[in-house]
Amino acid sequence: MSQQVLGVIAPGRDEPVRVETIVVPDPGPGEAVVAVQACGVCHTDLHYKQGGISDDFPFLLGHEAAGVVEAVGPDVTEVAPGDFVILNWRAVCGRCRACLRGRPWYCFDTHNARQKMTLAGGTSLAGGSGGGRELSPALGIGAFAEKTLVAAGQCTKVDPAVSASVAGLLGCGVMAGIGAALNTGQVSRGDTVAVIGCGGVGDAAVVGARLAGAARIIAVDLDDRKLETARTMGATHTVNSRDHDPVEAIRELTSGFGADVVIEAVGRPETYRQAFYARDLAGTVVLVGVPTPEMKLELPLLDVFGRGGSLKSSWYGDCLPSRDFPMLIDLHQQGRIDLAAFVTEEIGLGDVEKAFARMHEGDVIRSVVRL
């Protein structure tokens, strides 16, 4: 039997989000229904609301989530009812050329639930459509809801002793930032690391660099409040790029050479250029900030050639959820990283629109919806 639950939808481009009744079908082959306990409010959800990702409205928002598996469909072996899981948006297939080469974090055929969740009867949207209309779940998850339907491979079992508010953040932003440092940037002991953009992802990159043993971690942002937060996360130096040229400042802090690894957590051409020129010769630039489709980057090709090193993009922190989620939860429980520091506030389903406003104003690292 399908179930009716409450969820937060984005009905149209730049329209306020609202809580509606949605229909969650029973899980089919390879699928699972998860009772969501917590879901972080991520910038990606705002991009969906603004139409910056696609026009497949209405969206069922939310993707940074943790909860308990309620039911599974046929042929599911990864998880069972009662398992506490973090949801991930890159469920690896195990069959594509990346997976078969032993690089599943680059999986080229990640999958989602085949069935669609829908709006319940009686719901009306602009344009006259309503009940029965298919929803587009954000990043294939749609977890601003009491329950959601996902592919079973999107569920990663972790220790249920950890808070759901903390665990869920590994489902996107925190994992993206930590992974950008550990997996993509391969920060090593004694390295100098610069992080440009100190929102939730940038702060997580600071945490990852500190965990890897970086000797110097330089946080760059326009907002002194964010820079102070980055210090609490492990940054050793801060640069307000409104007052100082970040390239010159980073070079001054690295004896004129530049950083070994520069992590760009903004996703803009201007900040990427700063990252490119702020790295040492043969250094590494990691792009983890998400650009919009119209953005273009122009660099002198001779500089790309002459500076050597690596220019990398970080997909979800190049993580493998089955490997990385339990490991990071263990480190949190051991007190070696403080994932709880990313949770600024806990809110209800009806507070998501206000949380977007607070995010835009820079008042929070993460607002987390508790269900």
Side-chain angles (χ1 to χ4, degrees), residues 228-250:
E228 183 55 35
T229 299
R231 277 196 180 274
T232 68
M233 297 289 187
T236 59
H237 299 77
T238 59
V239 176
N240 188 317
S241 54
R242 195 184 300 277
D243 302 325
H244 306 281
D245 181 280
V247 176
E248 293 181 3
I250 291 169

Short mmCIF file of all heavy atoms in Angstrom, two decimals, residues 228-250:
data_model
loop_
_atom_site.label_atom_id
_atom_site.label_comp_id
_atom_site.label_asym_id
_atom_site.label_seq_id
_atom_site.Cartn_x
_atom_site.Cartn_y
_atom_site.Cartn_z
N GLU A 228 35.79 33.60 11.04
CA GLU A 228 35.92 33.22 12.44
C GLU A 228 35.46 31.78 12.65
O GLU A 228 36.07 31.01 13.40
CB GLU A 228 35.13 34.17 13.34
CG GLU A 228 35.27 33.88 14.82
CD GLU A 228 36.72 33.87 15.30
OE1 GLU A 228 37.54 34.68 14.78
OE2 GLU A 228 37.05 33.05 16.19
N THR A 229 34.38 31.40 11.99
CA THR A 229 33.92 30.01 12.06
C THR A 229 34.97 29.07 11.49
O THR A 229 35.23 28.00 12.06
CB THR A 229 32.59 29.85 11.31
OG1 THR A 229 31.61 30.69 11.89
CG2 THR A 229 32.12 28.41 11.35
N ALA A 230 35.59 29.46 10.38
CA ALA A 230 36.63 28.62 9.79
C ALA A 230 37.79 28.41 10.76
O ALA A 230 38.39 27.33 10.81
CB ALA A 230 37.13 29.24 8.49
N ARG A 231 38.11 29.43 11.55
CA ARG A 231 39.16 29.27 12.57
C ARG A 231 38.77 28.21 13.59
O ARG A 231 39.60 27.40 14.01
CB ARG A 231 39.44 30.61 13.26
CG ARG A 231 40.39 31.52 12.51
CD ARG A 231 40.91 32.63 13.42
NE ARG A 231 41.83 33.50 12.72
CZ ARG A 231 43.14 33.28 12.60
NH1 ARG A 231 43.66 32.18 13.13
NH2 ARG A 231 43.91 34.13 11.97
N THR A 232 37.50 28.22 13.99
CA THR A 232 37.07 27.22 14.97
C THR A 232 37.11 25.81 14.38
O THR A 232 37.22 24.83 15.13
CB THR A 232 35.64 27.51 15.48
OG1 THR A 232 34.69 27.30 14.44
CG2 THR A 232 35.54 28.93 16.01
N MET A 233 37.05 25.72 13.06
CA MET A 233 37.10 24.42 12.40
C MET A 233 38.53 23.93 12.16
O MET A 233 38.73 22.77 11.81
CB MET A 233 36.37 24.49 11.05
CG MET A 233 34.88 24.80 11.15
SD MET A 233 33.96 23.41 11.82
CE MET A 233 32.27 24.00 11.58
N GLY A 234 39.51 24.84 12.31
CA GLY A 234 40.89 24.40 12.13
C GLY A 234 41.76 25.27 11.26
O GLY A 234 42.95 24.99 11.07
N ALA A 235 41.21 26.36 10.70
CA ALA A 235 42.04 27.25 9.89
C ALA A 235 43.10 27.92 10.77
O ALA A 235 42.81 28.36 11.88
CB ALA A 235 41.18 28.31 9.21
N THR A 236 44.32 27.99 10.26
CA THR A 236 45.40 28.63 11.01
C THR A 236 45.55 30.10 10.65
O THR A 236 46.09 30.89 11.44
CB THR A 236 46.73 27.92 10.74
OG1 THR A 236 47.02 27.98 9.33
CG2 THR A 236 46.67 26.46 11.19
N HIS A 237 45.09 30.49 9.46
CA HIS A 237 45.16 31.87 9.00
C HIS A 237 43.88 32.19 8.24
O HIS A 237 43.25 31.30 7.65
CB HIS A 237 46.36 32.09 8.07
CG HIS A 237 47.68 31.81 8.70
ND1 HIS A 237 48.14 30.53 8.90
CD2 HIS A 237 48.64 32.65 9.17
CE1 HIS A 237 49.34 30.59 9.48
NE2 HIS A 237 49.66 31.86 9.65
N THR A 238 43.49 33.46 8.24
CA THR A 238 42.31 33.88 7.49
C THR A 238 42.64 35.11 6.65
O THR A 238 43.49 35.92 7.01
CB THR A 238 41.13 34.21 8.42
OG1 THR A 238 41.51 35.26 9.32
CG2 THR A 238 40.71 32.98 9.22
N VAL A 239 41.94 35.23 5.52
CA VAL A 239 42.10 36.37 4.61
C VAL A 239 40.72 36.85 4.21
O VAL A 239 39.92 36.08 3.66
CB VAL A 239 42.90 35.97 3.36
CG1 VAL A 239 42.96 37.15 2.37
CG2 VAL A 239 44.29 35.49 3.71
N ASN A 240 40.41 38.10 4.50
CA ASN A 240 39.18 38.70 4.00
C ASN A 240 39.47 39.28 2.62
O ASN A 240 40.20 40.27 2.48
CB ASN A 240 38.68 39.80 4.95
CG ASN A 240 37.30 40.30 4.56
OD1 ASN A 240 37.01 40.52 3.38
ND2 ASN A 240 36.43 40.48 5.54
N SER A 241 38.91 38.65 1.59
CA SER A 241 39.23 39.03 0.22
C SER A 241 38.53 40.32 -0.20
O SER A 241 38.76 40.83 -1.30
CB SER A 241 38.86 37.91 -0.75
OG SER A 241 37.52 37.52 -0.59
N ARG A 242 37.70 40.87 0.68
CA ARG A 242 37.15 42.20 0.43
C ARG A 242 38.20 43.28 0.72
O ARG A 242 38.20 44.35 0.12
CB ARG A 242 35.91 42.43 1.30
CG ARG A 242 35.05 43.62 0.87
CD ARG A 242 33.89 43.82 1.84
NE ARG A 242 33.04 42.67 1.92
CZ ARG A 242 32.06 42.40 1.05
NH1 ARG A 242 31.84 43.22 0.03
NH2 ARG A 242 31.31 41.32 1.20
N ASP A 243 39.11 42.94 1.64
CA ASP A 243 40.13 43.91 2.06
C ASP A 243 41.51 43.64 1.48
O ASP A 243 42.34 44.54 1.40
CB ASP A 243 40.24 43.90 3.60
CG ASP A 243 38.92 44.21 4.28
OD1 ASP A 243 38.16 45.02 3.74
OD2 ASP A 243 38.66 43.63 5.36
N HIS A 244 41.77 42.38 1.09
CA HIS A 244 43.11 42.00 0.63
C HIS A 244 43.00 41.13 -0.62
O HIS A 244 42.08 40.31 -0.73
CB HIS A 244 43.86 41.23 1.72
CG HIS A 244 43.94 41.94 3.03
ND1 HIS A 244 44.84 42.95 3.28
CD2 HIS A 244 43.21 41.79 4.17
CE1 HIS A 244 44.68 43.39 4.51
NE2 HIS A 244 43.70 42.71 5.07
N ASP A 245 43.93 41.30 -1.53
CA ASP A 245 44.01 40.42 -2.69
C ASP A 245 44.35 39.01 -2.20
O ASP A 245 45.42 38.81 -1.61
CB ASP A 245 45.07 40.91 -3.67
CG ASP A 245 45.15 40.03 -4.90
OD1 ASP A 245 45.78 38.95 -4.80
OD2 ASP A 245 44.59 40.40 -5.93
N PRO A 246 43.48 38.03 -2.41
CA PRO A 246 43.73 36.71 -1.84
C PRO A 246 44.96 36.01 -2.40
O PRO A 246 45.64 35.28 -1.68
CB PRO A 246 42.45 35.93 -2.15
CG PRO A 246 41.82 36.66 -3.27
CD PRO A 246 42.18 38.10 -3.11
N VAL A 247 45.26 36.25 -3.68
CA VAL A 247 46.44 35.61 -4.26
C VAL A 247 47.71 36.14 -3.59
O VAL A 247 48.58 35.37 -3.16
CB VAL A 247 46.49 35.84 -5.78
CG1 VAL A 247 47.78 35.26 -6.37
CG2 VAL A 247 45.27 35.23 -6.46
N GLU A 248 47.80 37.46 -3.46
CA GLU A 248 48.97 38.05 -2.81
C GLU A 248 49.05 37.62 -1.35
O GLU A 248 50.14 37.32 -0.83
CB GLU A 248 48.90 39.57 -2.91
CG GLU A 248 49.06 40.11 -4.32
CD GLU A 248 49.01 41.63 -4.35
OE1 GLU A 248 48.90 42.25 -3.26
OE2 GLU A 248 49.06 42.20 -5.46
N ALA A 249 47.91 37.57 -0.66
CA ALA A 249 47.90 37.20 0.75
C ALA A 249 48.35 35.76 0.95
O ALA A 249 49.14 35.45 1.85
CB ALA A 249 46.52 37.41 1.34
N ILE A 250 47.86 34.86 0.09
CA ILE A 250 48.25 33.44 0.21
C ILE A 250 49.72 33.28 -0.08
O ILE A 250 50.44 32.54 0.60
CB ILE A 250 47.38 32.57 -0.72
CG1 ILE A 250 45.93 32.54 -0.21
CG2 ILE A 250 47.95 31.16 -0.83
CD1 ILE A 250 44.95 31.93 -1.18
#
